[in-house]
Amino acid sequence: MSRFFVTTPIFYVNAKPHLGHAFTTILADSVSRFHALMGEETYFLTGTDEHGDKIVKASEAAGQSPKEYADQISALFRGLAPILGAKPNQFIRTTDPDHIKTVQKVLQKVYEAGDIYFGEYGGHYCFGCERFYTEKELVDGMCPDHKTKPEYIAEKNYFFRMSKYQGWLIEHINEHPEFIRPARYRNEVLSLLESGALEDLCISRPKSRLTWGIELPFDSDFVCYVWFDALLNYISALNYPRGERFKKFWPAANHIVAKDILKPHAVFWPTMLKAAGLQPYQSLNVHGYWLVRDTKMSKSLGNVVEPKRMVDTYGASAFRYFLLREMAFGSDASFTEEALVGRLNADLANDLGNLFNRALAMTHKYFEGKVPSPDKEFQEDAELKHLGLEAMQGFQANFGEFRTARALESLWELVRALNKYIDQTAPWTLFKNKQMARLGTVLYVVLEHMRKVAVHLWPVMPEASEKMLVQLGMPFEQEKIALPKEPEVWGVLESGVAVAQTSNLFPRVELPEPTPPAPKEATAPEAKKNKTDKPLPKEAPAPVCPAESIEFTDFQKLDLRVGTVLSAEKHPDADKLLVVQVSLGEEKPRQIVAGLADRFSPEELVGKQVVVVANLAPRKLRGFLSQGMVLVAKDAEVTRLLTAAGPVDDGGKVA
RNA sequence: GGCGAGGUAGCUCAGUCGGUCAGAGCAUGCGGCUCAUAUCCGCAGUGUCGGGGGUUCAAUUCCCUCCCUCGCUACCA
């Protein structure tokens, strides 16, 4: 029996679950179910990633210990799958003792193999900042923040000899087209690998700076870098190295990730596996982002779609269908409730739901609710079967490669063909003409195809699919379904079996009342149907700020000052940069490197009063220290300096 | 600036190793049916397949160039 292991990334517990996490989980669940129906033994893994500096910071902010904090957020993620109708086989946490042991085993193994070595890292440590600075970051040899000379510390860190495997990885990717897909991400990784030398990966953090992590087995003064720890969940969950699961499911691993974590999965992870003497995973499947009204949605922005509300409002099946139907594999997609409602009505209510309802109703009207026996096959029956065969094959081929949108598109060709077939054969006319044998055949052909559709939809909408099958008098039994044969088998539905009287799985829905403002032209049918005699209310002013709001104290963190530009010149080694000296009423003028050379000439700036961010962390830009940021206002057309309406003393505060 | 991916009907997209390849769904208009969830079926469109140039008997599909969008990166602060 062939095997299929599918994973989501383990989600980082520094924020609550949102649409992106929901999608990844739904996609993993659906492909897992698909492969199960295809006759494979499947294992579906998800979980949470809980170590690292960011978690420490977040827990401090919440006034909790890292573990308490991680427990709390992890529980939210654990609760996500059931809401979505997803059934992972395992939920792993990187704080699980078994995982920790495995990570240490692998570290030890790679260490003994000689692929982990001591190296001296960074060196310039500023005690004020509690961090290292690279040569590049230092300003005249001083800490840019504290203006003190950092101490040179030869901090020993452990490095993974990743560079050693660069050639191997390139070759492996070239030889296995399915290793990273879709191809655009494969190309991206290849160009990354081929463009320059891969550096070794620093995989340790000294405990003096971070203790919230897994201790290195060969040096108790260090903990493991969070990515090295996290990626290993994929095998620790299988009880590497001796577990039954590991023997069964490795290397049949198919990872699903969003495009932001492509590099760790496409570069770190395979080279880690290679170094540990393990075979690389089978495929890395990269999907895009869900945008919200074409604006980026992420943990750090406030415009997060709440998966639970969508499920509560529309049902898990419809929500899953929409996400899997709408996002082209690898590309970004836009989430709007209008689009969701549009799909739900057009595809599910009108096409599929109505098909079920009309077919069941006719079975009751003409055959007392029992599946009729088919008689002689007509040409039109054969044609429909052929179309159905191709539709189902198309579904399977695409779903197997994670292209769920195309798979569903293909299956819907059958759904639409069934509606058409009913119209063409006109059962109501056959009934009137007492052609019962033909009528029985027609209805049987429709019902049997509906069964096939329902079975294929199980991975996408398990709940709805099972209800459809109950309505057809054939409750879902996973063991009895052989999806690979479904396109061709015929006559599975038994004649004489009672079917449901009606089907109301997908009622039409309207957009919930406080209709969100639609900046773009609405595409949902409701937009037109809601038209009344009254003129539409004047469009509300577009929400100006999609970003999350901040507290006043956050604003206060900014030290905005007015200053006069004393001089400005082009940066000698940069096209876009100007080096300007701005008087802020301090002893010395500030040197600010501004990316304005393409918009302003140096002469335009000299003598002007500008607004600058005075407490921005200083940084060297192309060799020149920049101690602030000059603010401008811009639209699509112009860029203008931000200034006060009248003269203000240099150093005047903006508040 | 460099690298990469794209620009195809109002919208979302499919497609072409150059020759019925100008398509699907949604939206729009008209017509039909009545089994059905005001559902379904049929018909009708519009498109300079981003602009320009080139190769060819023939290009949306190949080459060059320009413009625009997005991603990564950088001299983005």
Side-chain angles (χ1 to χ4, degrees), chain A residues 106-126:
Chain A
V106 172
L107 282 165
Q108 186 68 38
K109 185 170 180 184
V110 176
Y111 180 66
E112 284 168 12
D115 277 345
I116 289 176
Y117 65 91
F118 254 142
E120 285 188 1
Y121 177 74
H124 305 283
Y125 192 79
C126 171

Side-chain angles (χ1 to χ4, degrees), chain A residues 24-283:
Chain A
T24 307
T25 304
I26 288 169
L27 179 59
D29 183 66
S30 70
V31 300
S32 174
R33 289 174 188 266
F34 172 76
H35 282 269
L37 286 193
M38 291 299 278
E40 294 172 74
E41 186 172 1
T42 62
Y43 199 75
F44 167 20
L45 172 71
T46 187
T48 47
D49 178 12
E50 310 183 6
H51 289 128
D53 194 47
K54 280 186 194 169
I55 303 306
V56 176
K57 293 249 162 66
S59 68
E60 279 168 1
Q64 291 173 309
S65 74
K67 181 71 166 102
E68 284 169 347
Y69 176 82
D71 283 349
Q72 195 183 319
I73 306 285
S74 180
L76 293 178
F77 279 98
R78 191 187 289 270
L80 180 64
I83 291 170
L84 304 170
K87 287 190 175 165
N89 295 89
Q90 185 179 351
F91 186 92
I92 191 172
R93 303 181 56 181
T94 54
T95 47
D96 289 343
D98 285 353
H99 171 75
I100 292 170
K101 265 186 241 161
T102 303
V103 170
Q104 291 176 328
K105 257 182 236 167
V106 172
L107 282 165
Q108 186 68 38
K109 185 170 180 184
V110 176
Y111 180 66
E112 284 168 12
D115 277 345
I116 289 176
Y117 65 91
F118 254 142
E120 285 188 1
Y121 177 74
H124 305 283
Y125 192 79
C126 171
F127 286 91
C129 303
E130 294 183 39
R131 62 160 285 196
F132 279 93
Y133 284 96
T134 62
E135 293 279 358
K136 202 178 163 188
E137 287 173 310
L138 291 180
V139 177
D140 304 324
M142 300 290 187
C143 163
D145 253 353
H146 295 81
K147 311 282 186 290
T148 55
K149 190 169 173 61
E151 196 157 327
Y152 187 85
I153 299 180
E155 179 179 284
K156 282 173 181 154
N157 257 307
Y158 289 89
F159 288 81
F160 166 51
R161 239 180 258 286
M162 194 159 70
S163 57
K164 178 174 162 187
Y165 299 102
Q166 180 171 8
W168 166 80
L169 183 56
I170 290 172
E171 195 175 324
H172 186 81
I173 294 172
N174 278 323
E175 283 171 6
H176 300 82
E178 78 292 351
F179 190 61
I180 302 170
R181 58 191 176 189
R184 52 198 295 193
Y185 297 108
R186 182 169 174 267
N187 295 338
E188 202 172 305
V189 172
L190 276 174
S191 72
L192 183 106
L193 288 170
E194 283 163 352
S195 67
L198 198 57
E199 288 187 5
D200 288 344
L201 187 65
C202 178
I203 55 150
S204 65
R205 297 291 182 268
K207 281 193 181 168
S208 56
R209 288 192 284 121
L210 176 71
T211 56
W212 182 237
I214 296 175
E215 189 176 283
L216 299 189
F218 42 81
D219 192 334
S220 59
D221 289 337
F222 292 87
V223 296
C224 179
Y225 170 50
V226 67
W227 266 114
F228 202 94
D229 160 7
L231 289 163
L232 286 166
N233 94 87
Y234 299 132
I235 59 172
S236 72
L238 301 179
N239 296 330
Y240 166 83
R242 296 215 165 64
E244 274 305 303
R245 278 208 296 275
F246 182 75
K247 286 174 191 153
K248 270 187 176 179
F249 291 106
W250 197 266
N254 297 270
H255 301 306
I256 295 175
V257 298
K259 62 185 184 182
D260 57 335
I261 49 175
L262 175 62
K263 189 176 173 183
H265 282 82
V267 180
F268 300 176
W269 182 222
T271 54
M272 284 165 60
L273 286 164
K274 181 74 178 165
L278 294 172
Q279 284 189 269
Y281 54 80
Q282 202 164 61
S283 73

